[in-house]
Amino acid sequence: MDIYTDVLVIGTGVSGLYSALNLREDLKITMISKGKIDQCNTALAQGGISVARGTNDIDLFVNDTLKAGSYKNDINAVKILAEESMENIDALCKMDFDFDRDNDELSYTREGAHSINRIVHYKDKTGKKLEETLLKQIPSRKNITIFENCTMLDILKKDNVCAGALCIKDDIQFNIHAKITIMAAGGIGGLFRNSTNQKILTADGVAVALKNNIKVKNLGYIQFHPTAFFNSNEHERKFLISESVRGEGGKLINCNGNRFVDELLPRDVVTKYIYEEEKNTHTSNVYLDVTFMEEEFLKNRFPTIYKKCLENGINISKEPIPVSPAQHYFMGGIEVDTFGKTSMENLFAFGECSCTGVHGANRLASNSLLEALVFSKRGTKKINKNISNIPMINIDSPSLNYDKKYYEDLNNKIFIESLVKERGDIKNELVNC
Ligand code: SIN
């Protein structure tokens, strides 16, 4: 069973969906999702989406992003991110994204290392709302077909030209031949013992890039979010306690009830202080205290966190929340230009699996959904313009003799070997090392 399509999109998080929706409606678009359609990191994002507060804020937003990223960022990509942030939030508003508002005006919150309040949000489930908003648009696009529970095992290629992907669904392997392939395969957290990510996200995009000599970048840049709900079960995904809780005034305290850090420093810095505090106090976690806030406010502003903590025996209006850092985001990935173009012809990459260099060594809070929006929009504009001149390349199936596990193990091994080469210190954090 071979499928022929104009554009293959691998992944159905924000980068995949927003790409598909911004592609021309006369193109046949095929999307695949490794798990269920919304089993992606987008749907887990809580805090919000950063946006410049008008053109006067662009320089400050750029500076905040660079400072958080330890100035290892690609400055050109950062400028694009800030400059094109507003038009993408406007586009979401036009899709009836129900952002929280104060008297009809967008409500902006604060998160770590932002100099001002510039994060638009929907309660503490911005990502879920974004995923739902984009998915709602899909049925009206008759040119888009989505296959769930469909894993990409490898790309199809001839020389250095991508021609689609080898996939597996319900134990049946098949080729999806495409003029353009978009890798929007998400993050790497499924390879870590403690991560806020979906378990099924195991660096597939980057592994396949490594295997096919496609350029990758900054593999050592991995972000640990300071505040995941602490429990000692390493086999469970860690529940995020959004940075916006600290943005709204939440305080970090140690086991003796003492504050030990400015909560709104960049993420990597707060994480470092927490690890030090845990070491100094011989404990496995610290606490995030919001007990001084009104219970009604907490229930309304952070309904998901309130409910999840209650299910775990913590009423956050009465007791501090036990938290500890967990792997959260991958700043490295498949090297791309500012249109998401990879080093392989006809292959683009957007979102967490790509590396525009925009985040530097440490991503500024709430810049991930924004990056996905801005760069997938730019990339798809370019694809729309050029695709009519791109022929379909017919490639024979590379080999249908291997099973899914063979490819998955191989992909994991290739990625982990490259990662550990750059970050030997991370070995103990990985599941299979
Ligand atoms: C959070 O809400 O803390 C996560 C948002 C992000 O990763 O930027």
Side-chain angles (χ1 to χ4, degrees), residues 15 183-187 205-206 217 329-337 340-342 348-359 371-372 375:
S15 330
M183 197 66 85
V206 189
K217 203 171 153 186
Y329 191 81
F330 184 43
M331 279 77 64
I334 306 169
E335 184 174 325
V336 291
D337 66 13
K341 172 74 182 56
T342 70
F348 287 73
F350 302 129
E352 193 169 348
C353 71
S354 72
C355 182
T356 56
V358 80
H359 305 305
E371 183 202 23
F375 291 95

Side-chain angles (χ1 to χ4, degrees), residues 201-367:
L201 296 177
T202 50
D204 299 354
V206 189
V208 163
L210 284 162
K211 198 159 63 178
N212 289 283
N213 295 320
I214 298 161
K215 282 190 188 163
V216 298
K217 203 171 153 186
N218 296 346
L219 294 195
Y221 288 173
I222 296 165
Q223 182 170 77
F224 285 74
H225 195 289
T227 57
F229 187 89
F230 173 75
N231 71 32
S232 48
N233 186 348
E234 291 180 353
H235 303 289
E236 260 177 33
R237 179 168 65 75
K238 293 288 176 280
F239 179 71
L240 184 68
I241 307 294
S242 174
E243 186 145 342
S244 52
V245 174
R246 280 174 281 133
E248 297 283 352
K251 302 286 173 240
L252 282 166
I253 55 175
N254 65 16
C255 57
N256 302 314
N258 300 322
R259 260 183 93 192
F260 56 90
V261 65
D262 170 356
E263 291 79 3
L264 292 182
L265 287 171
R267 264 183 203 167
D268 54 344
V269 182
V270 178
T271 291
K272 185 170 139 282
Y273 276 106
I274 293 178
Y275 280 137
E276 268 171 25
E277 198 61 26
E278 289 176 358
K279 199 164 159 219
N280 292 342
T281 53
H282 309 287
T283 53
S284 310
N285 64 282
V286 295
Y287 296 89
L288 183 57
D289 186 14
V290 291
T291 54
F292 48 90
M293 297 183 197
E294 290 291 330
E295 187 160 9
E296 271 320 294
F297 168 77
L298 291 170
K299 270 188 190 169
N300 185 47
R301 177 68 180 84
F302 301 113
T304 318
I305 294 170
Y306 182 90
K307 187 163 166 268
K308 183 77 180 180
C309 288
L310 208 54
E311 283 166 15
N312 283 277
I314 308 283
N315 178 335
I316 65 172
S317 71
K318 303 209 162 42
E319 295 162 78
I321 311 165
V323 291
S324 193
Q327 189 280 340
H328 181 61
Y329 191 81
F330 184 43
M331 279 77 64
I334 306 169
E335 184 174 325
V336 291
D337 66 13
T338 55
F339 294 93
K341 172 74 182 56
T342 70
S343 65
M344 179 171 270
E345 284 312 305
N346 301 348
L347 178 68
F348 287 73
F350 302 129
E352 193 169 348
C353 71
S354 72
C355 182
T356 56
V358 80
H359 305 305
N362 172 60
R363 175 171 64 76
L364 181 66
S366 285
N367 267 358

Side-chain angles (χ1 to χ4, degrees), residues 15-33:
S15 330
L17 291 174
Y18 201 58
S19 296
L21 292 169
N22 278 296
L23 284 165
R24 281 172 16 199
E25 291 191 39
D26 63 329
L27 298 174
K28 183 176 173 196
I29 300 165
T30 304
M31 302 187 72
I32 63 168
S33 167

Side-chain angles (χ1 to χ4, degrees), residues 46-64:
Q46 296 181 352
I49 312 175
S50 317
V51 58
R53 299 286 301 271
T55 45
N56 287 345
D57 181 36
I58 286 175
D59 285 349
L60 192 56
F61 186 13
V62 167
N63 284 338
D64 287 348

